[in-house]
Amino acid sequence: MIVTAPAPHGIGGHVAGFVGALRARGVPVGPSETVDAGRVLTVLDLLDREAVREGLACALLRRPTHRATFDGLFDLWFPVAVGDRSADAPDLPRTPDGQVDLAALREQLAEMLAAEDGGEQLQMLAGQVVEQLGQYQSARGPSFSAYQALKDLAPQSLLSKILAGLALPPDASERDTEVARRVARERIAGFRASVEAETNRRVAEQIGRERVATYGVARQAEDADFLRASERELTELRRGTQRLARILASRLAVRRKRARRGEIDLRKTLRASMSTGGVPIDLVNRKPRPGRPELVLLCDISGSVAGFSNFTLLLVSALREQFSRVRIFAFVDRTDEVTSFFEPYAGLDDVMTRIFTESRIIDSDGHSDYGYALTSFADNFGEAVTSRSSLLVLGDGRTNYRNPQLDTLRELVGTARHAHWLNPEPKNLWGTGDSAAHDYASVIEMHECRTARQLTEVVSRLLPV
């Protein structure tokens, strides 16, 4: 068992370690916020754990979306207890043969969830449930599982009993009933979260909180893998599209400002240095010739890469004002232009519905066919790519073992001013199975874009100014 050693520099060192864990999970915390956190602890009662939690959150967090990650790490770095908590709580109900009476336990849990002030009792019950229902033997000895603790208890099935315990009047309106259901669901979710937090605490004492943090703490939506992101994470990404678009726009503005200066004209600089004895004191820049950047987006929107494609389409649509012209093309096994569907303030669900119902992106069997998609794009919309265009291709390059049509892509890349391929798959999977990523990478520069953070960095570096 790993025993957590005290911080080398007392509470200050412990807070510094906590800040480091936040940064490792993508929460931006600077030196000033760290100093503020230390000052906050000097005025709080350190025995009041919730006051410490809220005080540190106020000092360290910049956005509400960071709160779930903060709470998960706080529970690991400032645990509610150490070791078994069963000595401080009443035992779970038992059958005559000494086994946990699940029926009686479910009744007890429903009563607690229906009560107004059952918070502390529920915390103690969560500890007991993890200790007695969630414990199992592993190679390292006794360990704990939140899934095993909740599997037979099934708190999600107690909704009707909790509603009965809330004692709604017989003439309750539909609105009051719906509010009661929402309250009951929130309390069930809170109990499940307590069990998961208790499980993480016990496991962290065995294998270390750093390892538990890698899988047991909510990650930032920007760090979620597009191909494995949950619906909640994808929803958060969509909500943050405008913020990411503002970040990208500001970076493009900085690059555009620098580009206006022009490159150093070495010949004129050396000529001007003759008056200073050959010392180039005054630099002479070439007169910049800014172009009017145009963007052409060719995007696979098949199910395998839908999360990545949808988010990138939203992001590029939000950046349209940064370019003189943006044309968006989508494909599954055939390419069609969908630029007109991305109207201002149009919802993504409505846009995707229109794309699948009003455009011709599916030709034969509805499976990804990059070769035919590239060919149909070149045949029907080839004029969209010019010497002023920047071509961005979005997709995983999985062709279902069909002809990748490299020559067609080579012609498009040769015509475009810039051409890049953004791939949401890990590099170690490129070229495996039906992936033609390595073949395409020999023709066009390919970049791994597995997360929104990666995508933001790549796009801000690649987009023309």
Side-chain angles (χ1 to χ4, degrees):
M1 176 179 292
I2 293 179
V3 179
T4 303
H9 303 290
I11 189 66
H14 193 70
V15 171
F18 176 57
V19 167
L22 287 171
R23 289 173 178 162
R25 295 298 284 175
V27 180
V29 182
S32 61
E33 288 88 358
T34 306
V35 172
D36 289 343
R39 290 174 176 169
V40 163
L41 293 182
T42 63
V43 298
L44 291 177
D45 179 4
L46 299 183
L47 297 180
D48 188 340
R49 184 167 175 267
E50 291 307 309
V52 172
R53 182 196 298 269
E54 297 304 321
L56 290 179
C58 290
L60 296 174
L61 300 185
R62 302 178 186 178
R63 295 201 300 268
T65 54
H66 296 153
R67 185 58 193 255
T69 303
F70 172 89
D71 284 336
L73 289 173
F74 182 89
D75 289 336
L76 292 177
W77 284 79
F78 299 87
V80 67
V82 176
D84 184 6
R85 302 168 62 190
S86 59
D88 302 325
D91 194 14
L92 299 181
R94 301 278 176 176
T95 60
D97 60 354
Q99 300 296 319
V100 174
D101 189 340
L102 286 174
L105 179 58
R106 284 166 54 80
E107 293 289 342
Q108 180 183 347
L109 176 59
E111 292 176 3
M112 289 185 177
L113 291 174
E116 290 291 336
D117 55 351
E120 186 173 349
Q121 289 182 328
L122 283 170
Q123 289 286 341
M124 300 303 295
L125 180 63
Q128 286 285 75
V129 167
V130 171
E131 181 69 28
Q132 300 185 36
L133 296 180
Q135 188 171 166
Y136 68 96
Q137 291 296 322
S138 69
R140 298 182 300 270
S143 191
F144 302 88
S145 165
Y147 169 77
Q148 181 170 312
L150 294 169
K151 179 180 63 174
D152 295 328
L153 188 57
Q156 69 277 4
S157 64
L158 299 177
L159 182 62
S160 59
K161 293 183 178 181
I162 298 172
L163 288 175
L166 292 176
L168 287 173
D171 58 345
S173 66
E174 184 177 345
R175 182 177 180 275
D176 292 337
T177 303
E178 183 58 34
V179 170
R181 284 198 185 94
R182 185 165 63 249
V183 170
R185 291 191 186 100
E186 289 175 353
R187 292 181 181 178
I188 292 172
F191 178 75
R192 293 181 66 91
S194 297
V195 171
E196 291 169 358
E198 180 71 13
T199 303
N200 289 340
R201 179 186 73 82
R202 297 302 304 273
V203 176
E205 293 175 357
Q206 295 178 310
I207 64 175
R209 56 193 170 212
E210 290 80 6
R211 286 184 61 186
V212 174
T214 60
Y215 66 85
V217 175
R219 56 191 172 184
Q220 295 300 298
E222 295 171 8
D223 295 318
D225 193 317
F226 284 121
L227 303 185
R228 297 173 178 81
S230 64
E231 189 62 33
R232 177 190 63 81
E233 290 168 331
L234 290 176
T235 301
E236 288 184 12
L237 279 177
R238 293 172 188 171
R239 290 174 181 169
T241 301
Q242 293 298 327
R243 180 180 59 81
L244 290 177
R246 288 194 298 271
I247 293 174
L248 282 173
S250 64
R251 293 181 182 178
L252 290 174
V254 171
R255 289 177 55 200
R256 192 172 292 118
K257 182 178 180 181
R258 292 173 179 171
R260 291 196 189 102
R261 301 172 186 169
E263 298 178 354
I264 295 176
D265 190 321
L266 184 59
R267 179 180 296 178
K268 291 183 178 181
T269 298
L270 292 177
R271 185 178 299 168
S273 70
M274 298 302 292
S275 62
T276 56
V279 180
I281 295 177
D282 297 319
L283 300 179
V284 180
N285 294 336
R286 292 191 180 97
K287 185 177 180 180
R289 298 178 180 177
R292 299 187 63 203
E294 298 179 0
L295 187 62
V296 177
L297 196 67
L298 185 56
C299 183
D300 179 5
I301 60 171
S302 61
S304 60
V305 292
F308 164 68
S309 301
N310 294 352
F311 174 74
T312 309
L313 285 171
L314 275 181
L315 188 63
V316 172
S317 179
L319 284 170
R320 292 175 73 165
E321 63 183 20
Q322 300 295 321
F323 303 93
S324 62
R325 191 179 188 187
V326 175
R327 296 185 68 178
I328 302 174
F329 300 86
F331 69 88
V332 175
D333 58 354
R334 179 188 177 92
T335 303
D336 199 1
E337 183 166 8
V338 296
T339 309
S340 60
F341 299 153
F342 287 86
E343 301 170 349
Y345 309 110
L348 178 63
D349 293 337
D350 295 335
V351 170
M352 299 309 295
T353 299
R354 291 189 62 190
I355 288 176
F356 279 100
T357 56
E358 300 178 27
S359 63
R360 295 189 61 190
I361 59 171
I362 300 177
D363 187 56
S364 55
D365 59 1
H367 293 90
S368 294
D369 187 344
Y370 279 76
Y372 186 65
L374 289 170
T375 301
S376 62
F377 172 73
D379 291 343
N380 300 317
F381 309 102
E383 81 287 348
V385 180
T386 68
S387 59
R388 297 188 302 273
S389 302
S390 290
L391 175 64
L392 279 185
V393 183
L394 311 180
D396 56 9
R398 294 197 171 271
T399 63
N400 288 300
Y401 300 102
R402 296 166 180 173
N403 188 344
Q405 297 292 347
L406 298 179
D407 290 338
T408 303
L409 179 62
R410 190 174 289 109
E411 291 178 8
L412 294 172
V413 172
T415 303
R417 181 182 179 185
H418 306 286
H420 302 279
W421 187 305
L422 309 184
N423 192 329
E425 279 198 337
K427 281 187 177 181
N428 61 338
L429 295 181
W430 294 2
T432 62
D434 62 342
S435 172
H438 285 317
D439 296 329
Y440 285 129
S442 66
V443 177
I444 184 173
E445 188 175 355
M446 187 172 288
H447 307 269
E448 179 187 87
C449 290
R450 296 171 56 192
T451 67
R453 196 181 302 278
Q454 264 188 324
L455 178 65
T456 304
E457 294 297 326
V458 170
V459 172
S460 65
R461 187 176 70 251
L462 298 183
L463 286 182
V465 294

